[in-house]
Amino acid sequence: QVQLVESGGGLVQAGGSLRLSCAASGRTFNTYAMGWFRQAPGKEREFVAAISWSGGSTYYADSVKGRFTISRDNAKNTVYLQMNSLKPEDTAVYYCAGKRGGIGTTSGVYIFWGQGTQVTVSS
């Protein structure tokens, strides 16, 4: 079965930057649309960003648009989330996920999920 493993989380001050990575197993990674979601304590998992199978199309939640950038390197089976100008409200566990077909913005349409990586932004 496909495995997704996130890395790059940590503690950062407000205004700082982090780059999350999601490494995927399997030769079919380049056929999946990929997304990033996050979940803070007491809240439901929310959409952050998504990217098409080719990397040609991206979509962002309004809360992160202009600050976060999603990208992928299919040769390395890896998707990235570059996070700049971080705010305390960005604090959450961040998950990467994969699905067949086009970009999705709800967690229910994604089939493959990583274990998550903690991002904490201090004020």
Side-chain angles (χ1 to χ4, degrees), residues 41-79:
K43 296 184 178 180
E44 294 184 351
R45 192 166 298 184
E46 67 173 340
F47 170 77
V48 176
I51 189 167
S52 62
W53 69 269
S54 67
S57 298
T58 59
Y59 191 80
Y60 299 91
D62 288 342
S63 59
V64 306
K65 191 174 184 179
R67 299 188 298 122
F68 291 9
T69 303
I70 188 171
S71 61
R72 68 191 298 163
D73 186 339
N74 287 343
K76 296 182 178 180
N77 280 8
T78 303
V79 62

Side-chain angles (χ1 to χ4, degrees), residues 22-41:
C22 176
S25 64
R27 68 183 186 276
T28 59
F29 171 77
N30 63 349
T31 71
Y32 298 153
M34 299 294 295
W36 285 96
F37 293 78
R38 66 187 183 187
Q39 188 167 23

Side-chain angles (χ1 to χ4, degrees), residues 64-112:
V64 306
K65 191 174 184 179
R67 299 188 298 122
F68 291 9
T69 303
I70 188 171
S71 61
R72 68 191 298 163
D73 186 339
N74 287 343
K76 296 182 178 180
N77 280 8
T78 303
V79 62
Y80 305 95
L81 185 68
Q82 178 66 47
M83 305 185 295
N84 298 326
S85 301
L86 283 162
K87 305 174 181 180
E89 52 262 45
D90 295 318
T91 295
V93 177
Y94 283 70
Y95 300 88
C96 65
K99 67 181 293 292
R100 292 296 187 96
I103 287 173
T105 59
T106 59
S107 61
V109 301
Y110 284 82
I111 298 173
F112 304 106

